[in-house]
Amino acid sequence: DKGYDKTPDFILEVPAAVEGHVIHWIESKASFGDESSHRAYLQDQFWSYWNRFGPGLVIYWYGFIEELDCHRDRGILLKDCFPSDIITLQLTSGEPVLPVTHNTLQHSSGGKGVARF
């Protein structure tokens, strides 16, 4: 059960698309993504999030080693800033339709929570 009580910084109420990849959560790291720390985060956090919530986005605010962004097809994307071209999907009758583009993430609680675009 290691890591299963942890949650990502943001769980999206409605899935979003980043660079053509659908995401359900966002994790923010105020660090540089080097090989050692990223491997530990994958094992202790990111794959757990993926198992519970589906694909997601990790933002390393101080950059990351480009070769580490190798799990996109499996559902974990890496970025060094919040995407400017994020697209949220509208839900109608439980099915995603009609993308809507947003440029900012609105989160008022100041901590972890659910993101509403």
Side-chain angles (χ1 to χ4, degrees), residues 39-60:
R39 186 176 334 125
Y41 285 137
L42 277 169
Q43 180 180 341
D44 296 339
Q45 291 181 282
F46 305 156
W47 289 124
S48 173
Y49 301 165
W50 182 89
N51 282 328
R52 293 171 65 202
F53 306 109
L57 169 66
V58 177
I59 301 172
Y60 282 110

Side-chain angles (χ1 to χ4, degrees), residues 33-94:
D34 62 41
E35 189 172 350
S36 175
S37 64
H38 183 67
R39 186 176 334 125
Y41 285 137
L42 277 169
Q43 180 180 341
D44 296 339
Q45 291 181 282
F46 305 156
W47 289 124
S48 173
Y49 301 165
W50 182 89
N51 282 328
R52 293 171 65 202
F53 306 109
L57 169 66
V58 177
I59 301 172
Y60 282 110
W61 291 103
Y62 294 98
F64 58 90
I65 297 171
E66 189 173 328
E67 290 78 15
L68 298 178
D69 191 17
C70 60
H71 297 291
R72 286 177 168 243
D73 291 340
R74 294 182 62 196
I76 297 179
L77 284 72
L78 303 184
K79 299 279 290 174
D80 60 3
C81 63
F82 191 81
S84 60
D85 60 346
I86 193 165
I87 297 172
T88 56
L89 304 175
Q90 299 278 325
L91 288 182
T92 332
S93 305

